[in-house]
Each structure stands twice: as C-alpha cells, then as structure tokens.
Amino acid sequence: MEDFGSYLASAYTGAALTMLTSVGHNLGLFEAAAEGPATGAELAERTGLHERYVREWLGAMTTGRIFTYDPETRAYTLPAEHVRFLTGESAANAAPSAAMLRAFFGPLADLEDCFRNGGGIPHASFAPHFEAAGAVPGETWRRVYQDHLVDGFFAAVPGLNDRLKAGAALLDVGCGTGHAVNTAARAFPASTFHGLDQDPAAIARATSARTAPNARFSVADAAALPSEPRYDVITAFDAIHDQKSPEDVLHRIRGALSPDGLFLMVDAAFSSRLENNVGNPMAPLTYAISLLYCTTVSLAEGGAALGALWGTETALSLLSAAGFTRVEVAPSPRPQNCIYICTP
Ligand SMILES: C[S@@+](CC[C@H](N)C(=O)[O-])C[C@H]1O[C@@H](n2cnc3c(N)ncnc32)[C@H](O)[C@@H]1O
C-alpha cells in the first residue's frame, strides 16, 4: 500500500512537472538557463520575468531533478546533459511536447461530457487550446522529420532514397502542417511532393512554410482520394488511426498507388492487446493522448475511433484487407513508432 501511495504521488508529480515544463518552454526559461548557472534573480533578469514566480518555478524544477541548486552561491543550473532534452532544434528536445500535452488537456470538461453523452471533440475545436497552451501544431514532428525523415524513415526502405533522388511522385496523407513534405521536397529536388489534409488551417501553415517549388498542398478528404493521378510513394505519418474511416482511406491509398508503388505508414508501435502493452513505459502516456485526442476526434465524426494503440495486429489486418499483399514492419528511429512498408 505504501509503495502504491508513493507511486501515485510520483505520477502526480510527473503531471505537475509536465505542466511546469510547458511554462518554462513558453517563457524561454530553459534557453536562458542553458546560458549558464544563475540565481533566481539572474534568471528572471535574463528572461524579463518576475523573480518571485521564477524562484517558485525553480523550486519545483530543482526538487523535481530537472535543475540542480548550489546553496552557497544560490545558483541554479540546468545540467549540460539536460540541455539537449529541453532546448534547441533537435528532435531530442521534449519541451514542445509538454506544451502539446497541456493543450490536449485543455478541453477536459468537454471530454467528461463525451463520457456521459457520447460524441466527440472535433479536431477544429483544439485550435484555441493549442493557442492557449503555447503549443505550435507540428513542432515536435518538424524536429523529428528534420532529424529522421531521410536517414531514418525513408532509409528503412531499401532503395527508397535512390528512387526519390532519381525522381518520383510522393503523396503524404494527413500531412498536417506539412513538415514531412517540405523537408522531403528540399532533400529531393527531382521528385514531386503532394501533401493532403482535411484541415484548412494546417494546410495554410504547410503552404506558408513551403520553400521548395516541388512541394504542393491541398485541402481534401483522404477517404475520397481519387485513383488518378497515381503516386510512386504514399506516406502517412501518425495519420491513419484517428481517421473517421481508416479502412476506406487505406483502400483509397492502395488504389492511388502505381503498380510498383509503395505505402509507408509510420504509426505507434504497440500491440492491439492491452495485456501486451502492460510494462511498456510509453503505453500510459500514449493511451492518454489517444483518449484526449485520437479517439475523440474520430468519434466526433461518428468514426471508427481505433485509437493510437490500435496496434500492429489490427494494422496488419486492415492493410491486408485494403489489398496490400506484402507488409514489413520495420523499427523506427523513434522507439515509440514503427514503420509499415506496404506493397500492393
Ligand atoms: C496526428 S495528425 C498528423 C499530422 C502529420 N502527419 C504530422 O506529421 O504532423 C493527423 C492528421 O490527419 C488529418 N486527417 C484526419 N482525417 C483526415 C481525412 N479524412 N482526410 C485528410 N486528413 C485527415 C488531421 O487533420 C491531422 O492533420
């Protein structure tokens, strides 16, 4: 009982530190602390924030083992080994995800209503919560694509990077803010890249971040994807399980591939069976995100609500039903994902 009590306290502590991490990220406290040890007053001065708030935040951060504290000098330090996880442009920076988590918890009262009355919270309703939480949609994945798209996800498919170097047509389904398309278009000027999403706000962001002429974006429903034009490569990054009709979308994707085309699906690496996910340290957080976002946005459209932990068993069976005869599951550079390499 005592063990469970302290386990629960540490779980609550984790939740609190997550929210305070989002505060530190939004207010530039980590970047300022990365400049070197500072007293509370110095860190407040570096950031232009009120010292009393900064000091209390540092109290939580220090006892929460994110900062260290020297009582002699009264200086707080963000240790060098922590800096890359809380600052900067690499995919290792987990701070933007804290802001995203805070946004997912924004409409919690509405979610409780959904428990009582059914239905769901539509994707569009999250926009004000992203804004209030300081979460920039696509920020985490932008960093992931920058570090891992070409050398990780694409490199997992033998010959894919060569094919893209030579010139191929690629479609990204559920492209969101378009960072995969924009990153790939810059890397492979001989290929063309098309990003499709049903969210006009995401497509507007994708279009304004476009820097390469071989990238284009459109607002469209993936469940109505036509069979022409055909694409050599279709990708879906974390974009199938929260669809209203994932089965229809997979059929449409299969139908829009050229005969020697391939579908690359990056999704969460879990089992479809809860019992197989017990003990996976990423499972509770992923179930939570699935409940707070993936499941409810699909239910809002009267959809299948597969959830983020639809799992490899269900994914393989839906891919086979959609007409993919060969599917290989490859490990991803991010352990929480896996890569489905699907050929017709
Ligand atoms: C979790 S996000 C992933 C976004 C993106 N792949 C990325 O890497 O950031 C899922 C995306 O699928 C889009 N989506 C959901 N249903 C769709 C549909 N039927 N047609 C097109 N896009 C859809 C959503 O608008 C959302 O942008």
Side-chain angles (χ1 to χ4, degrees):
M1 258 165 72
E2 264 171 37
D3 275 357
F4 180 68
S6 58
Y7 169 74
L8 209 52
S10 70
Y12 287 13
T13 298
L17 289 175
T18 305
M19 294 304 110
L20 293 192
T21 298
S22 78
V23 170
H25 172 65
N26 292 351
L27 297 177
L29 280 157
F30 294 120
E31 306 283 347
E35 289 171 22
T39 64
E42 284 162 352
L43 195 58
E45 200 181 312
R46 276 184 206 168
T47 48
L49 299 169
H50 284 272
E51 187 272 341
R52 184 66 195 95
Y53 285 101
V54 171
R55 185 159 35 103
E56 210 64 6
W57 180 83
L58 284 165
M61 286 286 129
T62 303
T63 53
R65 304 201 344 246
I66 292 173
F67 279 67
T68 58
Y69 178 62
D70 180 349
E72 299 270 308
T73 58
R74 296 180 174 253
Y76 300 85
T77 300
L78 184 61
E81 319 82 72
H82 297 189
V83 166
R84 89 180 262 274
F85 291 99
L86 292 164
T87 66
E89 280 299 302
S90 90
N93 183 359
S97 301
M100 205 55 165
L101 271 170
R102 173 168 150 185
F104 285 146
F105 281 96
L108 214 48
D110 295 341
L111 192 74
E112 287 166 355
D113 279 342
C114 295
F115 272 75
R116 292 185 193 99
N117 307 319
I121 304 170
H123 171 74
S125 300
F126 280 88
H129 297 288
F130 288 143
E131 202 174 327
V136 179
E139 262 309 88
T140 298
W141 278 91
R142 179 176 68 75
R143 289 167 159 85
V144 171
Y145 295 135
Q146 177 192 280
D147 289 6
H148 301 306
L149 181 68
V150 176
D151 297 338
F153 298 136
F154 288 173
V157 188
L160 178 55
N161 279 329
D162 288 338
R163 201 167 170 182
L164 292 170
K165 250 179 232 155
L170 181 148
L171 170 72
D172 187 29
V173 170
C175 69
T177 43
H179 293 300
V181 164
N182 282 326
T183 305
R186 285 191 291 271
F188 300 105
S191 286
T192 56
F193 297 88
H194 178 195
L196 168 161
D197 202 286
Q198 68 179 4
D199 177 2
I203 290 297
R205 276 178 184 273
T207 308
S208 67
R210 190 182 94 113
T211 51
N214 53 333
R216 72 184 177 94
F217 296 98
S218 50
V219 178
D221 179 2
L225 182 69
S227 55
E228 292 293 336
R230 301 267 169 151
Y231 295 91
D232 303 308
V233 183
I234 300 184
T235 54
F237 295 95
D238 197 25
I240 298 298
H241 61 257
D242 51 10
Q243 294 281 328
K244 176 184 177 195
S245 321
E247 289 169 338
D248 293 347
V249 172
L250 291 175
H251 270 103
R252 292 287 181 152
I253 288 173
R254 165 71 188 82
L257 275 178
S258 61
D260 64 343
L262 75 92
F263 173 44
L264 184 79
M265 181 174 85
V266 173
D267 217 289
F270 291 97
S271 168
S272 308
R273 294 196 189 88
L274 171 62
E275 58 272 31
N276 296 340
N277 297 325
V278 174
N280 181 330
M282 290 304 294
L285 181 59
T286 313
Y287 273 113
I289 294 170
S290 178
L291 168 67
L292 294 162
Y293 176 80
C294 311
T295 305
T296 195
V297 297
S298 182
L299 287 173
E301 295 189 73
L306 291 176
L309 291 95
W310 59 322
T312 302
E313 299 90 330
T314 301
L316 289 175
S317 118
L318 295 191
L319 286 165
S320 161
F324 290 100
T325 54
R326 241 187 44 229
V327 179
E328 188 200 327
V329 187
S332 126
R334 309 174 79 218
Q336 62 267 51
N337 293 125
C338 61
I339 306 172
Y340 296 85
I341 304 164
C342 320
T343 41

